[in-house]
Amino acid sequence: MQTITKIAELQEKLNSWHKKGESIALVPTMGYLHEGHQSLIRKAYEQNDHVVVSVFVNPTQFAPEEDLEKYPRDLRHDQLKAETAGANILFTPSVTELYPMNFNSYVKVGDVTEVLEGLTRPIHFQGVTTIVTKLLHIVQPQMIYFGQKDAQQLVVIKKMVRELNFSVKVIGCPIIREEDGLAKSSRNIYLSPSERQAAVSLSQSLKLAKAALINGQRTSHKLIKIIVQRLEAEPLAEIDYVKVVDTQTLKAIDRIDQTALILLAVKIGKTRLIDNLLYQK
Ligand code: AMP
């Protein structure tokens, strides 16, 4: 695996693959790679000739009060994790490489970015769609991989790709969890031991909702009540939102018939965690 920091060097390398008609996959990440990221890289490796993993803590998706500065970074760790999962190139550009002086061009997707995460993090998705667009133009992959962990992000990217006619296939991959159910996340390292214990309430609440769904409970407010009750039993948990929404429009639905997304965001101490359940009949 080769680690590359410059766009020009990356494109030179990719050109030879493009010319030979070999397929290239892109897995965008913010680094501090774990098994969640690795599952995306493995899938990309299975389905393509070459895999580019980008590691870039993207400043435009963080609000000033968020954790941009303290977000965990460890290049050696990422090189090892990416290589063992099957990456051919680790692209680790600097901020100025991707955002030169006077950068002022953004990609904005409407409606689906203005709900859920968008309410608490109003500039977040514009940063995400802008960086993903830049990476797509730089790498020109046939396939791009995202985790269901960030369910709204996946919906936003799919909509952007569809509506702006990007010629890339977007692949969503299932959530990888710790043994006790906590969704793996680079931000989990912020949790103190007691917070780490409390954080299991997120996946446990979704598990209860799933059991109720399987038993025939289809009314959104009743499912939300089950989730909220479990979360409220956890003194360290502070609910931001619990929503049952349509899987494409992200609009709230009253009843679940065929498919639905149940999404939640919860603060455990100072750390904001998200999790979700994709229900497909
Ligand atoms: P991040 O580095 O947090 O920006 O995540 C990079 C990609 O990895 C995104 O598409 C995430 O949805 C995905 N991802 C992060 N955590 C997980 C997980 N636990 N399971 C599956 N995918 C994940």
Side-chain angles (χ1 to χ4, degrees):
M1 189 189 73
Q2 202 180 336
T3 302
I4 295 178
T5 58
K6 297 289 179 201
I7 296 169
E9 194 191 338
L10 174 65
Q11 288 187 315
E12 199 181 305
K13 175 95 189 169
L14 296 175
N15 262 339
S16 67
W17 292 338
H18 282 306
K19 275 190 195 140
K20 284 190 261 175
E22 294 170 352
S23 67
I24 297 170
L26 174 62
V27 183
T29 82
M30 296 209 299
Y32 212 65
L33 303 181
H34 50 67
E35 284 163 41
H37 302 110
Q38 284 186 304
S39 71
L40 272 54
I41 301 170
R42 279 196 203 99
K43 181 87 154 273
Y45 174 78
E46 279 164 29
Q47 298 181 333
N48 297 272
D49 297 319
H50 305 282
V51 181
V52 178
V53 176
S54 61
V55 168
F56 182 63
V57 184
N58 175 35
T60 63
Q61 69 190 67
F62 287 78
E65 74 282 5
E66 291 182 346
D67 57 341
L68 174 63
E69 295 304 325
K70 75 166 188 175
Y71 197 87
R73 293 161 169 90
D74 186 340
L75 178 61
R76 293 291 308 148
H77 165 96
D78 288 344
Q79 285 171 323
L80 204 69
K81 293 272 177 186
E83 184 159 28
T84 51
N88 301 95
I89 294 179
L90 193 69
F91 180 48
T92 59
S94 65
V95 172
T96 49
E97 183 71 3
L98 285 182
Y99 297 116
M101 278 265 279
N102 301 325
F103 180 94
N104 211 356
S105 305
Y106 296 92
V107 178
K108 183 170 156 41
V109 173
D111 54 23
V112 290
T113 65
E114 287 153 13
V115 293
L116 303 161
E117 289 298 286
L119 292 176
T120 316
R121 311 183 71 192
I123 63 147
H124 175 70
F125 287 113
Q126 180 174 298
V128 171
T129 47
T130 300
I131 193 65
V132 170
T133 295
K134 283 176 68 73
L135 291 169
L136 282 172
H137 286 147
I138 293 166
V139 176
Q140 298 186 33
Q142 281 73 32
M143 311 250 233
I144 186 164
Y145 292 76
F146 290 93
Q148 185 63 35
K149 159 83 179 10
D150 299 279
Q152 187 175 6
Q153 172 172 277
L154 184 54
V155 171
V156 169
I157 298 290
K158 281 186 171 164
K159 187 174 168 80
M160 177 185 83
V161 162
R162 198 169 57 241
E163 294 188 350
L164 296 182
N165 310 93
F166 284 84
S167 56
V168 67
K169 194 165 172 201
V170 180
I171 310 287
C173 302
I175 303 175
I176 304 297
R177 298 179 178 281
E178 302 287 354
E179 254 176 42
D180 65 1
L182 176 67
K184 288 194 184 253
S185 165
S186 309
R187 289 192 166 99
N188 291 349
I189 77 151
Y190 298 154
L191 300 169
S192 70
S194 60
E195 289 170 346
R196 171 64 187 81
Q197 277 192 341
V200 80
S201 58
L202 277 80
S203 58
Q204 282 183 354
S205 71
L206 289 172
K207 235 179 165 175
L208 293 173
K210 189 174 181 183
L213 257 166
I214 289 167
N215 280 328
Q217 181 54 267
R218 292 297 146 92
T219 311
S220 298
H221 76 86
K222 290 192 175 155
L223 293 163
I224 291 171
K225 196 171 166 196
I226 290 169
I227 293 170
V228 167
Q229 266 177 357
R230 173 63 190 91
L231 292 170
E232 282 181 348
E234 181 47 71
L236 293 178
E238 187 194 321
I239 300 172
D240 181 350
Y241 61 77
V242 178
K243 299 273 183 204
V244 180
V245 302
D246 178 88
T247 54
Q248 293 222 342
T249 64
L250 300 181
K251 289 200 171 117
I253 52 175
D254 296 336
R255 267 189 67 78
I256 298 182
D257 292 316
Q258 299 294 323
T259 62
L261 258 173
I262 305 182
L263 299 133
L264 45 91
V266 179
K267 269 180 95 175
I268 303 283
K270 287 200 173 92
T271 306
R272 192 167 171 282
L273 300 175
I274 56 172
D275 201 345
N276 68 84
L277 168 68
L278 173 63
Y279 178 75
Q280 285 166 312
K281 206 174 171 185

